[in-house]
Amino acid sequence: MRKFQWNEEEMESLLKQMPPVKDRRSKAAIYEQLAHAKQPKRRGRIVPAVVSVAAACLFVLIGVSLYPSSPTNESKKAKPEMSMTMQAKEVAPNENRTMQADEAPSFSRVLMSGNAVVFGLPDASAQTVIPISIAVEGQTPLNEQLEAAKAELVNLGLDAKWLEGVTFMASRNNEWTVHLSGTHPVFSSGSTGEEMFLASIEETVRWMGGTSVQFFTDAKKGIDLPNTGHLETITIAKKQRAYYLYAPKEGAPTLLAPSPQSFATIEKAFESMQAVSGMFRPSIAKEVHIASVQSQHGDLVVQFTADSSFADSVSSQWMLEAILLTAKEFHFRSVTFTGGNVGNIGPYRWNEKIAVPVAPNPLPVH
């Protein structure tokens, strides 16, 4: 709107042209009527203002409920520190952010960040040992974490009795002590039970970073197993394993299982992941072909051929997670997937470094 500038002479001339206004009321009467007239007008203006503010707030609330939380806010969450448990690798500021644990879909088979306790548990048929992880709070003592984790082992088709009443303690130089009572089931389980017990202890301590184990029965050093004999110490064998798919029993969830044997190269491990049979299922589908595997300063670059097919998104995600765990076995810090004519599978994006997982087969903690 145009703004007019008036001088004093023009304003005086304009006022003289206006008709005279006469009011026979007293000044007090005029003031009282004016004061009375202002009140309802104010109320009429406040109500629309309140309605406008309420409508704006409702719009904001609806908008927040319809859209997911910002990934930027998620990435700023502080990661708890915890000793003697697995921790995610800290990603440098110039590296791409990897999937957080709370972003993983329900069918994910790895824990990508945080802290975890990992148990090696035999399946019910005593054929293999499967690592199962539980996310834990950083300040909880390790043995309490172990007890809390064991309570979550339900409906998996795994045998948790081998770790019941077993106490793990860390000592110097990555040596661990394992204490059990003389009434533990291993002393009456036969040769297969003894093998599964020792394999469970070895797998559990391996994931805790241990290199050897000292056994104690009650207060006495060593364990006397009817078939294995007297054991005081075992050394955790160094292995470079592949990861396969495994369903412990009908109706149980599919898990990622390490190979019983070790491989000289990661290429050989990948070959076995596509050709394994028996109690395991291949984790790399026959329709998927790896063109090349390259090592670049701790990062593994896996290139798929252009004719690879990733039709089943769930199995394809498990495949990537099996590859990530296998890369961890070969001491790689991250994996970059390329080729295959895809941009991502689930939360895993192509041509970006993905840090290797913290642990396999995470269970929810309620």
Side-chain angles (χ1 to χ4, degrees):
M1 180 181 292
R2 183 182 175 187
K3 185 176 180 180
F4 294 93
Q5 301 292 333
W6 300 86
N7 57 36
E8 293 183 4
E9 293 180 358
E10 290 172 334
M11 291 179 66
E12 183 178 356
S13 174
L14 177 63
L15 290 172
K16 287 180 180 180
Q17 296 175 22
M18 296 180 67
V21 178
K22 295 182 179 180
D23 195 330
R24 294 185 175 86
R25 294 174 298 174
S26 65
K27 294 180 179 179
I30 293 173
Y31 178 80
E32 182 179 0
Q33 184 171 347
L34 288 172
H36 182 71
K38 289 180 179 178
Q39 189 66 22
K41 288 182 179 180
R42 272 190 181 173
R43 280 198 291 266
R45 290 178 182 174
I46 290 174
V47 172
V50 171
V51 172
S52 299
V53 172
C57 292
L58 181 61
F59 180 79
V60 171
L61 290 174
I62 292 174
V64 170
S65 66
L66 290 178
Y67 291 92
S69 300
S70 167
T72 303
N73 292 337
E74 292 295 330
S75 65
K76 291 181 181 178
K77 289 181 180 178
K79 295 179 181 178
E81 295 182 359
M82 180 171 62
S83 61
M84 297 186 295
T85 55
M86 288 60 64
Q87 284 190 302
K89 166 184 167 288
E90 290 294 333
V91 180
N94 60 342
E95 290 184 350
N96 294 304
R97 190 178 67 89
T98 59
M99 181 184 68
Q100 299 298 310
D102 53 3
E103 296 172 355
S106 59
F107 49 80
S108 177
R109 290 296 177 263
V110 292
L111 183 67
M112 293 301 291
S113 65
N115 305 305
V117 166
V118 180
F119 290 97
L121 295 176
D123 69 317
S125 60
Q127 296 184 80
T128 188
V129 172
I130 310 292
I132 302 294
S133 62
I134 297 279
V136 294
E137 297 295 332
Q139 302 303 318
T140 307
L142 182 60
N143 286 323
E144 291 183 21
Q145 295 169 1
L146 294 173
E147 291 301 318
K150 284 189 288 187
E152 297 295 328
L153 299 171
V154 293
N155 300 324
L156 286 178
L158 302 178
D159 194 347
K161 71 175 180 289
W162 303 112
L163 297 184
E164 289 296 328
V166 176
T167 301
F168 294 82
M169 296 181 63
S171 58
R172 296 174 299 177
N173 301 322
N174 293 325
E175 295 178 351
W176 284 72
T177 59
V178 170
H179 295 255
L180 64 158
S181 71
T183 59
H184 191 276
V186 69
F187 295 109
S188 58
S189 62
S191 59
T192 300
E194 293 174 12
E195 290 176 9
M196 289 294 101
F197 170 76
L198 295 175
S200 296
I201 296 296
E202 182 177 346
E203 184 71 12
T204 301
V205 173
R206 174 185 285 109
W207 277 99
M208 294 178 187
T211 57
S212 63
V213 177
Q214 285 190 341
F215 289 102
F216 289 84
T217 305
D218 295 324
K220 182 181 176 182
K221 187 175 181 179
I223 54 174
D224 292 294
L225 301 175
N227 296 279
T228 307
H230 180 76
L231 282 179
E232 292 188 0
T233 304
I234 61 172
T235 300
I236 306 301
K238 295 182 179 180
K239 294 182 178 180
Q240 298 180 148
R241 303 174 297 179
Y243 270 78
Y244 310 134
L245 301 181
Y246 181 68
K249 67 176 181 177
E250 185 177 354
T254 297
L255 303 172
L256 293 176
S259 61
Q261 72 274 32
S262 187
F263 294 92
T265 65
I266 197 166
E267 289 86 353
K268 292 293 184 182
F270 288 162
E271 290 175 8
S272 76
M273 291 163 66
Q274 198 163 31
V276 71
S277 60
M279 62 180 173
F280 299 115
R281 294 186 353 236
S283 51
I284 301 178
K286 62 182 180 180
E287 297 82 11
V288 175
H289 309 287
I290 297 177
S292 65
V293 177
Q294 297 179 2
S295 174
Q296 297 180 357
H297 309 291
D299 178 54
L300 181 69
V301 180
V302 178
Q303 181 178 5
F304 298 100
T305 63
D307 62 347
S308 293
S309 174
F310 306 95
D312 186 337
S313 60
V314 175
S315 295
S316 294
Q317 179 167 330
W318 292 346
M319 174 195 69
L320 299 186
E321 292 172 346
I323 291 175
L324 288 168
L325 286 170
T326 302
K328 185 183 182 80
E329 291 276 330
F330 283 81
H331 310 294
F332 288 98
R333 296 189 299 271
S334 60
V335 178
T336 301
F337 297 111
T338 65
N341 291 324
V342 294
N344 71 286
I345 292 177
Y348 303 107
R349 294 183 288 271
W350 256 229
N351 302 308
E352 295 186 4
K353 289 183 179 182
I354 303 170
V356 296
V358 176
N361 303 315
L363 294 180
V365 177
H366 303 290

